[in-house]
Amino acid sequence: MNALTFTLKQNLQQSINCSALTPDNLAGKTAAEIGSISLTSDKHPLRAADVFEISGSDTQQLCFKNATARLDYIGAGMSSGSITVEGDAGAYLGSGMRNGEILCTGNTAAFAASNMRGGLLTINGNTGDFLGAGSEGSRKGMLGGTVIVRGNAGDRAGDQMRRGLILIEGNAGDYCGSRMIAGTIGVLGDLGVYTAFNMHRGTLLLKKKPQLHATMQDCGIHTLPFLNLLFKSFSKYNTSFSALNSLRAQRFVGDSAYGGNGEILILSA
């Protein structure tokens, strides 16, 4: 069977909520039933067949072609199967995702992987603010799973994150790891200001030292053998993090204004 493919017919003038188009929701449905699914939008509901040219039949493998930033909530809440987004994705890509895999070949808007609980989300381009954070009004950020960003991330990456792994090959914006409860965030590029602001626990693994505020305490440079195990765990994701091999790191703890149980590890060259 070929992947069930949704090819965008024309440029959208309004954002479309695509949360109904997941492997879970489409399993067992006929082509006619899938085409008649109602998609909410900024102005008025549309049928899936009005927005997309639909082809293929494998509901466990979905593909969005000609995708743009007007397509919000792709893969939201999914718990099985895989989704490939050829192009850009809108806000909330993989929001609340529980299992399965999503690959976006372009850029994404804000709140990618917000409230994510499991699975693998890979973004080949850049992503907006609040990667892996909680959605508006929520005090729980990412709760599990793995996110790989091959480009840059916006502000507040991992805000209120509670579990899971985020690997950013490029740069991260301001407030990376803010209010973080647990989990691991790796960044190979530069970071903005207020890194780890109000961090409770968790780990930031960095290649470059960011500007840190006074409540992050320098604990000196150490040899940390457990890093070898951490690096090996990255190898299955085929990212630039697989090339890390230094077991020497400058360790900071904090935010001491919130108990000081988080840590920032700056890897030695």
Side-chain angles (χ1 to χ4, degrees):
M1 291 190 292
N2 296 325
L4 182 61
T5 301
F6 298 88
T7 303
L8 192 62
K9 290 182 176 179
Q10 58 187 359
N11 290 332
L12 297 171
Q13 301 303 311
Q14 55 187 322
S15 295
I16 302 291
N17 184 328
C18 298
S19 61
L21 304 179
T22 64
D24 310 80
N25 292 333
L26 301 182
K29 286 186 170 60
T30 66
E33 289 172 332
I34 293 172
S36 64
I37 291 176
S38 180
L39 305 176
T40 57
S41 68
D42 293 343
K43 297 180 180 177
H44 51 80
L46 298 168
R47 294 186 313 132
D50 296 332
V51 181
F52 301 103
E53 189 74 37
I54 303 173
S55 60
S57 57
D58 188 351
T59 57
Q60 290 304 297
Q61 298 182 60
L62 307 187
C63 181
F64 290 83
K65 292 189 175 182
N66 300 336
T68 76
R70 295 286 191 180
L71 300 180
D72 294 338
Y73 290 97
I74 293 177
M78 68 181 279
S79 61
S80 64
S82 64
I83 296 178
T84 300
V85 181
E86 296 186 0
D88 297 336
Y92 298 97
L93 175 68
S95 177
M97 178 181 177
R98 294 177 179 274
N99 207 342
E101 295 187 19
I102 299 176
L103 167 64
C104 176
T105 65
N107 304 315
T108 83
F111 289 103
S114 60
N115 308 113
M116 181 177 176
R117 294 174 179 270
L120 173 63
L121 170 60
T122 302
I123 300 167
N124 284 349
N126 301 321
T127 189
D129 298 340
F130 294 100
L131 170 72
S135 55
E136 297 99 323
S138 172
R139 298 184 63 183
K140 293 182 179 180
M142 187 171 158
L143 291 162
T146 300
V147 179
I148 296 167
V149 179
R150 302 195 188 281
N152 303 319
D155 296 342
R156 297 279 186 182
D159 181 54
Q160 301 191 90
M161 178 178 175
R162 293 177 177 241
R163 201 173 297 121
L165 173 66
I166 297 176
L167 299 177
I168 302 169
E169 294 187 345
N171 304 322
D174 298 342
Y175 292 95
C176 180
S178 59
R179 303 186 289 179
M180 188 174 173
I181 306 296
T184 300
I185 301 174
V187 182
L188 297 182
D190 297 318
L191 291 96
V193 297
Y194 299 111
T195 296
F197 185 77
N198 287 6
M199 183 181 190
H200 296 238
R201 295 183 298 276
T203 300
L204 291 182
L205 183 69
L206 310 177
K207 284 274 287 184
K208 300 179 180 179
K209 182 182 176 183
Q211 178 183 339
L212 296 174
H213 45 98
T215 50
M216 301 303 297
Q217 304 299 312
D218 187 354
C219 299
I221 297 176
H222 305 270
T223 298
L224 303 174
F226 81 89
L227 287 176
N228 193 40
L229 295 176
L230 186 63
F231 297 155
K232 285 182 178 178
S233 72
F234 295 158
S235 61
K236 59 185 175 183
Y237 300 120
N238 189 29
T239 70
S240 298
F241 286 85
S242 302
L244 297 177
N245 54 22
S246 174
L247 303 185
R248 297 279 288 173
Q250 185 175 9
R251 183 172 185 263
F252 292 82
V253 296
D255 186 335
S256 58
Y258 285 85
N261 294 319
E263 64 177 0
I264 300 176
L265 303 177
I266 315 294
L267 297 174
S268 300

